[in-house]
């Protein structure tokens, strides 16, 4: 056993950091995302392909909050599609966007029970999500919110994964060192190598809904994986995954 792995194995997980889309929440399929784009594009009166291209191309800026609030972002997208919506049209497009985005929030059945069990075991819980304004807006209403000590949303903090700053920020808010954290995600946004680069131990969640999922960056990961969120509860058990053990 190497010096580094001995050091890791002497640790217990002080915190578990979760991704949101595709991890605590089921993935939305590429087809579903396209249908969402069709709704907004129809309101704006632009071709869906043009709108979808504008959405895709602006993701790094939208995820960092650089295009302003939802209304300002919608006006930016409309202009990128060659139209200038009036206030009523813009409001209707924002409403369509909110509605489609809220449809992508589908918590896995074991999400809240797993987070609750972690809290009961004294493990701190964090969230790091690359997202736009809609997720932090609905976050307080979600049944997992009460179990998350530090939710970090890219759109609010101005950085996204895999920038080390976003992982270090959640650690700072949790009061834990990266080396004492396990990071769990489906792997989009190069989040797993990003987590390991700051010293966290990363686990990829592999779930059936990932097969048709819309992903932004191709996922390549040969590290450890789990097939259910509840698997993280075994992390500190003697016979659990060899990430942290007594
Ligand atoms: Mg994800």
């Amino acid at each position: 056993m190497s010096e580094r792995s001995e050091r890791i194995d002497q640790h217990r997980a002080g915190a578990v950091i979760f991704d949101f889309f595709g991890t605590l929440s089921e993935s939305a399929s590429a087809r579903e995302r396209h249908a969402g784009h069709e709704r907004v594009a129809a309101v704006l009166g632009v071709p869906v392909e043009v709108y979808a291209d504008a959405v895709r191309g602006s993701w790094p800026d939208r995820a960092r909050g650089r295009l302003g609030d939802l209304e300002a972002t919608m006006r930016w997208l409309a202009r990128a599609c060659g139209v200038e919506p009036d206030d009523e049209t813009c409001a209707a497009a924002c409403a369509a966007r909110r509605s489609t985005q809220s449809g992508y929030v589908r918590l896995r059945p074991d999400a809240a029970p797993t987070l609750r069990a972690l809290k009961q075991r004294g493990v701190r819980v964090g969230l790091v999500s690359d997202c736009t304004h809609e997720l932090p807006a609905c976050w307080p209403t979600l049944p997992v919110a009460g179990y998350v000590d530090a939710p970090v949303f890219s759109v609010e903090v101005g950085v996204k994964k895999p920038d080390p700053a976003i992982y270090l920020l959640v650690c700072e808010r949790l009061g834990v060192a990266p080396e004492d954290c396990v990071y769990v995600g489906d792997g989009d946004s190069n989040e797993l190598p990003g987590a390991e680069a700051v010293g966290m131990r990363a686990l990829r969640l592999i779930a059936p809904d990932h097969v048709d999922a819309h992903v932004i960056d191709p996922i390549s990961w040969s590290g450890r994986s789990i097939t259910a969120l509840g698997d993280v509860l075994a992390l500190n058990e003697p016979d659990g995954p060899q990430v942290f053990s007594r």
Side-chain angles (χ1 to χ4, degrees):
M1 184 179 286
S2 71
E3 189 178 320
R4 174 170 163 76
S5 60
E6 278 181 5
R7 184 173 64 77
I8 290 167
D9 288 344
Q10 287 166 4
H11 280 71
R12 287 167 53 80
V16 180
I17 317 296
F18 292 91
D19 165 53
F20 188 77
F21 292 108
T23 304
L24 292 182
S25 175
E26 293 174 3
S27 295
S29 69
R31 190 176 58 179
E32 190 179 3
R33 294 268 180 182
H34 187 78
H37 292 337
E38 281 180 328
R39 286 182 57 191
V40 180
V43 174
L44 292 174
V46 299
V48 62
E49 291 79 12
V50 175
Y51 176 76
D53 279 351
V55 168
R56 269 192 295 273
S58 59
W59 164 247
D61 285 336
R62 290 185 300 109
R64 294 183 179 93
R66 291 180 178 173
L67 303 185
D69 63 13
L70 176 58
E71 182 187 341
T73 301
M74 186 57 69
R75 289 193 179 281
W76 188 97
L77 289 167
R79 273 195 296 277
C81 298
V83 295
E84 257 329 317
D86 58 26
D87 290 350
E88 191 180 339
T89 304
C90 186
C94 289
R97 166 85 188 172
R98 270 191 219 97
S99 170
T100 57
Q101 292 298 112
S102 68
Y104 306 147
V105 175
R106 296 188 292 262
L107 290 173
R108 298 188 188 280
D110 57 345
T114 298
L115 269 53
R116 182 172 61 239
L118 285 170
K119 296 292 295 172
Q120 287 169 344
R121 294 168 190 213
V123 177
R124 305 277 281 161
V125 176
L127 176 93
V128 176
S129 177
D130 280 1
C131 61
T132 47
H133 297 288
E134 299 84 0
L135 182 60
C138 76
W139 176 254
T141 69
L142 301 183
V144 292
Y147 304 124
V148 176
D149 301 295
V152 174
F153 304 105
S154 64
V155 71
E156 289 186 343
V157 299
V159 286
K160 65 182 286 300
K161 295 177 277 191
D163 188 323
I166 200 164
Y167 303 96
L168 298 176
L169 181 60
V170 76
C171 288
E172 183 186 323
R173 291 184 179 177
L174 289 170
V176 295
E179 291 78 10
D180 293 329
C181 295
V182 169
Y183 183 91
V184 181
D186 63 296
D188 203 1
S189 302
N190 294 310
E191 62 186 344
L192 303 174
E196 295 230 317
V198 299
M200 295 180 178
R201 302 298 290 168
L203 296 175
R204 180 183 182 186
L205 175 69
I206 298 176
D209 52 273
H210 292 160
V211 173
D212 298 320
H214 162 85
V215 291
I216 292 159
D217 298 300
I219 300 168
S220 119
W221 177 248
S222 55
R224 294 178 176 87
S225 61
I226 56 176
T227 55
L229 290 172
D231 291 349
V232 300
L233 298 175
L235 288 177
N236 289 333
E237 302 299 331
D239 57 351
Q242 295 302 298
V243 177
F244 293 93
S245 62
R246 293 176 205 280

